[in-house]
Amino acid sequence: MKITNDNAKELRNDFPIFKRKINGKPLIYLDNAATTQKPQRVLDAIQRFYEQHNANIHRGVYQLSEEATEQYGRAHAVVGKFLGANANEIIFTRNTTESLNLLAYTVHAIMPKRKHIVLTELEHHSNLVPWQQFAKRHNMSIVFIPMKKDFTLDYDAAEKLIGGDTAILSVGHVSNALGSINDVKKLVSMGKNAGAITIVDGAQGAAHVPVNVKDINCDFYACSAHKLFGPTGIGALYGRKELLEKLPPFLFGGDMIKTVSYQDATWNDVPMKFEAGTGAIADAIGFAEAIAFIQTIGLENIAAWERELTQYALKKLRLPGITLLHGHDSAGIISFICEEIHAHDVASLVSDDGVCIRGGHHCAMPLMGKLGIPGTCRISFSVYNSFEDIDQLISSLAKIQHMFKEGGKT
Amino acid sequence: MEAHEMYREHILDLYKHPHNFGTLKAATNTHREFNPLCGDDVTMDVIVEDGKIRDIKFHGKGCAISMAAASLVTDAVKGKPIAEVKRMSKEDLLNLLHIPVGPVRLKCALLALDTLHKSIGDAK
């Protein structure tokens, strides 16, 4: 379904939150890179599970447990298909951060014994801090693929950085702070040629770019449901089957074992080996429903609409006192700075008009340091945003600029 | 509460024309603190003499609320005994700011006082 301004506004009817008002004004939600709103069908799917199918999985042989197990298994298949993978290559985690931590606690067992972890300067803290700790534990160092002035990665530099010293290459698919889309296929190919383990942080990517992990050819791909219209508290880690089989478990306990004696245990098959304890069963089903919602529209169509909104917003934001931090290609995310006004003040004040935007460092403090700024204002689009949302933001910004210009003159 | 209620004339004025902004080369006590929420960054330079704050300056970057609070708190403590400054509470600071501060922005409002307290932690 091709999205137009009219049907974007109509789509809002599927999302109950848009019924509420903020300070008596309609909710204008432009913080979709943080989390998206949830459609009724996702909320219904979660509710339906608890009302009709609730039981623990993999243990009971009674009907309810069979239903729950079947639905949980299907959720793996749905997420797998969405990412171009098989059901048994999908591990459910809490979120992208946990997916990356799972790797940071286990991947040493399968990586080539070399000294470098390669990341990019654009990373979110979740694809940086776990590797800093990993580097300390394994006496390794991190090297960063630099960002160029146009906010894209320097692929020539990447070519030189990725090589015989690279044990792990872990890169963000889309920068959450600036929206830049990285050519992960190209980077992964460099990593593969060097014999490194290749990981993609898809927290933003999976929501805005159609993903096929086999085409990207990465070893691992991490994402979160809540940025894809799904519930919070559930995410996924795709792993290449043969690597998941070699990878040691991260968490130990029930469900992840095959046999247990008082002294020792053997591990269950993948993905159960990595899903210790009772998981977020209802949320996994919600995750699958969110993907079904995306597929009724088509991620290509969502991405196209987000690009259209981005172009419109970029045109409207070319205003005195506003600096855009924006490259040529972005996935529905725009960062900007208001001269003399801190991003936090902007985000607070537009909220009075019902407008939700993000102000701050966007969990990318080193990147902000490189740019020489404490933070930016960030807007990020989704399927239900309209041109009018952007118009309202622009008029709220004008009001704030006036307030800071005229106020406190004494 | 609407956000614009925080941005009163005196706050905007202090944001544009901060008091005690700068550095003190002769500082006896210095501390830098961050507000990870929004990236506010405040450094307090203090000269402690005879158990009192003889001089104080701050520098850094931050939102209007955190910067106004830094101006007000540095004004308020100049010449005051250390023991008294250490006793300054959240309520004292909010009285100085004289605006309604919502729960999310409380961290911004309190950053300067927190930085000051840390800078004089071991001073008597």
Side-chain angles (χ1 to χ4, degrees), chain A residues 96-104 107 117-134 142-145 153 168-176 182 184 187 197-204 220-222 237 362-364 366:
Chain A
T96 307
T97 299
E98 188 175 290
S99 296
L100 293 167
N101 272 274
L102 185 157
L103 292 173
V107 81
I117 302 154
V118 179
L119 310 176
T120 78
E121 285 183 343
L122 286 162
E123 301 312 327
H124 185 282
H125 295 163
S126 65
N127 193 35
L128 169 60
V129 181
W131 299 118
Q132 290 172 343
Q133 297 305 310
F134 182 90
I142 305 178
V143 292
F144 294 91
I145 301 167
L153 291 177
I168 297 166
L169 170 75
S170 188
V171 292
H173 196 166
V174 170
S175 159
N176 75 303
N182 298 327
V184 286
L187 292 170
I197 296 284
T198 54
I199 303 166
V200 178
D201 168 357
Q204 298 298 334
F220 299 98
Y221 192 97
L237 176 66
H362 317 300
C363 295

Side-chain angles (χ1 to χ4, degrees), chain A residues 230-260:
Chain A
T232 54
I234 185 131
L237 176 66
Y238 154 79
R240 198 185 289 277
K241 177 91 185 313
E242 62 269 25
L243 291 181
L244 288 183
E245 272 162 4
K246 283 187 218 150
L247 201 66
F250 167 43
L251 298 170
F252 299 86
D255 256 6
M256 55 78 64
I257 48 82
K258 194 158 265 175
T259 62
V260 183

Side-chain angles (χ1 to χ4, degrees), chain A residues 368-384:
Chain A
M368 295 297 133
K370 182 185 161 89
L371 295 168
I373 50 176
T376 72
C377 301
R378 181 189 73 183
I379 51 176
S380 48
F381 302 116
S382 189
V383 66
Y384 37 64

Side-chain angles (χ1 to χ4, degrees), chain A residues 23 25 340-342 344-346 348-349 352 359-361 365 372-375 403-410, chain B residues 1-7 9 12-13 15-17 35-40 61-65 104-105 108:
Chain A
N23 297 320
K25 290 163 192 143
E340 308 289 327
I341 313 175
H342 192 277
H344 221 190
D345 294 322
V346 177
S348 257
L349 285 161
D352 284 355
H361 53 62
M365 282 170 106
I373 50 176
M403 174 182 180
F404 270 74
K405 195 170 167 216
E406 296 305 313
K409 273 202 158 159
T410 47
Chain B
M1 191 197 102
E2 295 198 12
H4 68 85
E5 292 170 45
M6 289 190 288
Y7 295 84
E9 207 54 17
L12 292 171
D13 187 32
Y15 181 59
K16 286 185 173 175
H17 314 286
N35 172 6
L37 186 72
C38 59
D40 291 337
K61 275 184 188 163
C63 64
I65 309 302
V104 184
R105 302 303 296 276
C108 312

Side-chain angles (χ1 to χ4, degrees), chain A residues 299-354:
Chain A
L299 194 55
E300 299 274 3
N301 292 317
I302 296 175
W305 178 237
E306 287 168 353
R307 271 198 301 276
E308 211 168 312
L309 289 168
T310 304
Q311 290 314 315
Y312 182 84
L314 285 173
K315 217 163 56 196
K316 291 269 176 177
L317 278 165
R318 294 196 195 286
L319 295 168
I322 289 180
T323 307
L324 293 164
L325 297 145
H326 196 268
H328 60 92
D329 197 10
S330 99
I333 296 172
I334 301 174
S335 253
F336 64 92
I337 304 170
C338 285
E339 217 171 274
E340 308 289 327
I341 313 175
H342 192 277
H344 221 190
D345 294 322
V346 177
S348 257
L349 285 161
V350 296
S351 166
D352 284 355
D353 296 329

